[in-house]
Amino acid sequence: MNTNTPSARPLPCPLALSLLLAWGSTPFAAAAAETAELPAVTVSASALALGSDAMSTPVTVLAGEDLVLRRDATLGETLAREPGINASPFGAGASRPVIRGMDTARVKLLSDGSEIMDASTVSPDHATVAEPMLAEQIEVLRGPSALAYGGEAIGGVVNVLDRKIPMAVPTRGVEGSIELRGNTAAREAAGAFELTAGSGNFAVHAEGLKRDARDYRVGDGWTGGRRVDGSFNETETGSLGMSWVGARGYLGLAYTHQRNDYGLPGHAHGIEECSVAGNALACPEHEEGEEEHEEEGGVPVVKLDSERWDLRGEYLEPLAGFTRLRVRASHTDYRHHEVEDGAIATTFRNRAHDSRIELEHAPLAGWRGVLGLQGSRRDFRATGEEAYVPPTLTRRNAAFLVEEYTTGDWRFEAGVRREWQAIDVDAAARDRSHDGSSVSLGTVWNFVPGYALGLSLLRAQRLPTAEELYADGLHLATATFERGNADLKAETSHNIDLSLRKTAGDTRFSIGAYRNRVSDFIHARTLDAVEGLQLVEYAQRDAVFTGVEGQIHQRLNAIFGATLFGDYVHARFDGGAGDRDLPRIPAHRVGLRADARWQGWSGELEWYRVGRQDRVADFESDTPGYSIVNLSASYTGRFGAQPWQVYMKAGNLGDELAFSHTSFIKNAAPLMGRNLTLGVRVPF
């Protein structure tokens, strides 16, 4: 949960921060206004629309100025500094969130409750189509809180809220914002706007974004040079939506089109001619001249094109005994070309739709709850040189029920979900069908005003994906030859989550511990490795994820505050001979953040240390630790009645050379070096 108070804002420069810290609570503190207590933020992704303080597991909510200063070009990098959350960067164009050591299909991405149906779960080099600069709020639900969105989301759910479908008619007739920003490390220039207008019962909304970022510069001392070749990112996004808004609800429709061109650094050359014989790889030897010629090949480029339609609606008191009806539906036509040496080598296409309906019933014997139905259809096809997955059609249906009961200082929550899946494959392999059940129980005890102790138990089943079942071919981006396993069955997660939170007063904190034992955990088992290429086959084995995460914020006076934060996760296979660590598990992290706010100025100085990761899987290398110092500052002013905001972010001030252990290409694409971002935002 985000525990930042209104004092948790950036300062203009290190000198100013140092002076304010030195003066402490003297003249500045006397001049500052009292900081008001923050109300709990409503978590839209919660089936019961709970406040963040009422959740039985930790929740992260980024909104307002915190979101403006955290936003990056990708969803993964935007969330990567939050406790328990990391990213899986693949250059600058693709990066998904990693929650508690889990990623891809185990972390579900939503657009205001509707699933984002791109191809990012298929491979880490595939971008997500969520755009952080157009987000109004980003929510992260961990562990058992995500049950209403599918048993596969055993890591968690990321819900991106936007304004593309108006839920109300602007009181002044027109409202919106304009934002421009740029940075130095990637020579990025980006601009975004959003505009909502309406009258009577109708409202329309338009928004757009354009980003142009070149190859980014890394920290000092990298043997590969100063910039990562092929780490550019060019994005264009536009959306148009409209709504009918009444006294008891709204119904709206929106169309979104996104184009994205980005490079794929670290592309392995010279392995295309490798072959497989049984469980062994065979790669031809090259003459020295041939190898040099191979290395001169250009960096592949992804050209992504996504069209999406969204339908959203809510209606109060739709039927006797029910207090709210909520509808979400989407249709996506997604495709991207991977271009090598100017020619299309591989095309990935995903035509998909999903729908979701929820009914909240009136209290019955003290119980309040939501029952819902969900369905989706995914037609995925890959053609060309790297079509390592045959065409598949995946259909899923689910029913779920979530209930809560409150008595005195206790709140109890229970949920159940049943899912069915059928996958038709256009290949010699047989079609498969699976089903699974998930059950959760949770409680929150407010044993003292402002304190809450939460406990959640979850038993969830994740159904295998089409790629895990049917992959068969060379995957150059990750330097793997993948084999699916049509005999995979559902994996079963048994999760216990304990949290302690303090949500009021000068000291606030959120601390959590969890243990997740996953029976029949689906993973890519390495059978052989030659010249950097790995032969992997999807298999199942029990695994255990254990970790802690949290942050403690102390308000020192009316101006200053400090936050201590950190996280740790350990993941190993359980049982059998030769227990081993799982690959690409984030290293432990600890940090300290000082914040201040005075009149229109705000500022934040942050240091954190990422430890060395030497608990590695077979064929995986250690990753050295690193320390990062960040500084951010903003000023909010008015020109007459018009508000405006300027902000600055200085990332990696020490120009540290840093490698992300969660990345498939960590050595070919280190993290960004020293970077200065300047931006201006004008709401109206």
Side-chain angles (χ1 to χ4, degrees), residues 268-434:
H269 291 281
I271 63 174
E272 295 92 336
E273 300 177 13
C274 295
S275 59
V276 176
N279 291 335
L281 288 167
C283 296
E285 296 184 1
H286 295 278
E287 298 293 336
E288 183 175 348
E290 291 178 329
E291 291 179 355
E292 291 176 358
H293 177 74
E294 292 279 2
E295 293 300 325
E296 291 174 359
V299 174
V301 176
V302 168
K303 292 185 174 295
L304 183 157
D305 193 289
S306 174
E307 296 180 88
R308 178 181 169 106
W309 290 89
D310 279 283
L311 175 71
R312 300 173 188 168
E314 292 191 26
Y315 194 65
L316 300 179
E317 300 178 353
L319 301 167
F322 293 93
T323 58
R324 184 181 65 154
L325 169 69
R326 189 183 191 210
V327 176
R328 295 290 185 269
S330 72
H331 174 79
T332 300
D333 188 354
Y334 168 98
R335 62 186 176 275
H336 84 243
H337 304 301
E338 295 187 0
V339 179
E340 298 185 36
D341 298 326
I344 297 176
T346 310
T347 297
F348 293 89
R349 183 144 196 176
N350 191 26
R351 287 193 177 99
H353 66 254
D354 80 312
S355 57
R356 180 183 180 91
I357 183 169
E358 300 175 2
L359 271 172
E360 181 178 325
H361 68 73
L364 295 172
W367 288 89
R368 182 176 75 98
V370 172
L371 56 98
L373 298 173
Q374 184 175 358
S376 66
R377 183 181 188 273
R378 174 181 182 262
D379 186 355
F380 180 78
R381 295 176 181 271
T383 57
E385 295 178 359
E386 206 175 329
Y388 63 95
V389 181
T392 56
L393 176 64
T394 302
R395 293 183 295 267
R396 284 189 175 182
N397 295 287
F400 61 90
L401 174 67
V402 178
E403 297 283 335
E404 74 157 357
Y405 181 83
T406 302
T407 176
D409 298 329
W410 292 84
R411 190 185 76 84
F412 300 93
E413 181 179 317
V416 61
R417 181 182 175 98
R418 180 69 175 168
E419 294 180 296
W420 300 267
Q421 170 181 280
I423 301 179
D424 299 334
V425 57
D426 187 6
R430 67 185 186 276
D431 299 339
R432 292 301 308 268
S433 61
H434 304 84

Side-chain angles (χ1 to χ4, degrees), residues 494-663:
H494 297 87
N495 187 91
I496 180 170
D497 198 299
L498 181 66
S499 64
L500 177 64
R501 301 191 295 272
K502 185 176 185 293
T503 58
D506 290 342
T507 303
R508 301 183 185 190
F509 55 78
S510 174
I511 303 171
Y514 57 90
R515 181 177 175 84
N516 191 356
R517 189 179 190 279
V518 187
S519 301
D520 300 313
F521 182 81
I522 301 172
H523 63 285
R525 180 181 60 181
T526 301
L527 302 177
D528 192 20
V530 177
E531 297 182 2
L533 175 67
Q534 294 187 34
L535 172 61
V536 299
E537 182 178 62
Y538 286 99
Q540 293 188 281
R541 186 178 174 188
D542 296 349
V544 177
F545 292 75
T546 306
V548 294
E549 61 198 21
Q551 56 184 351
I552 303 173
H553 181 269
Q554 177 65 47
R555 190 173 67 188
L556 304 175
N557 52 44
I559 295 178
F560 300 106
T563 301
L564 178 66
F565 60 92
D567 53 31
Y568 168 81
V569 58
H570 183 208
R572 290 179 64 89
F573 290 114
D574 184 38
D579 288 356
R580 300 295 298 176
D581 296 293
L582 270 67
R584 290 176 299 282
I585 298 300
H588 70 271
R589 177 173 52 180
V590 64
L592 182 64
R593 185 182 301 129
D595 58 77
R597 182 175 184 176
W598 181 61
Q599 297 182 357
W601 291 97
S602 58
E604 186 176 274
L605 178 63
E606 176 186 68
W607 166 90
Y608 65 87
R609 174 72 182 175
V610 176
R612 177 183 182 86
Q613 182 56 288
D614 54 9
R615 290 180 168 176
V616 296
D618 292 335
F619 305 101
E620 185 182 29
S621 61
D622 294 0
T623 303
Y626 56 90
S627 297
I628 298 293
V629 177
N630 299 317
L631 174 69
S632 59
S634 71
Y635 179 77
T636 301
R638 287 183 174 272
F639 185 77
Q642 177 60 55
W644 54 272
Q645 179 189 30
V646 292
Y647 61 88
M648 177 274 291
K649 300 189 295 181
N652 194 359
L653 282 173
D655 205 26
E656 183 91 351
L657 179 61
F659 301 90
S660 172
H661 190 75
T662 55
S663 172

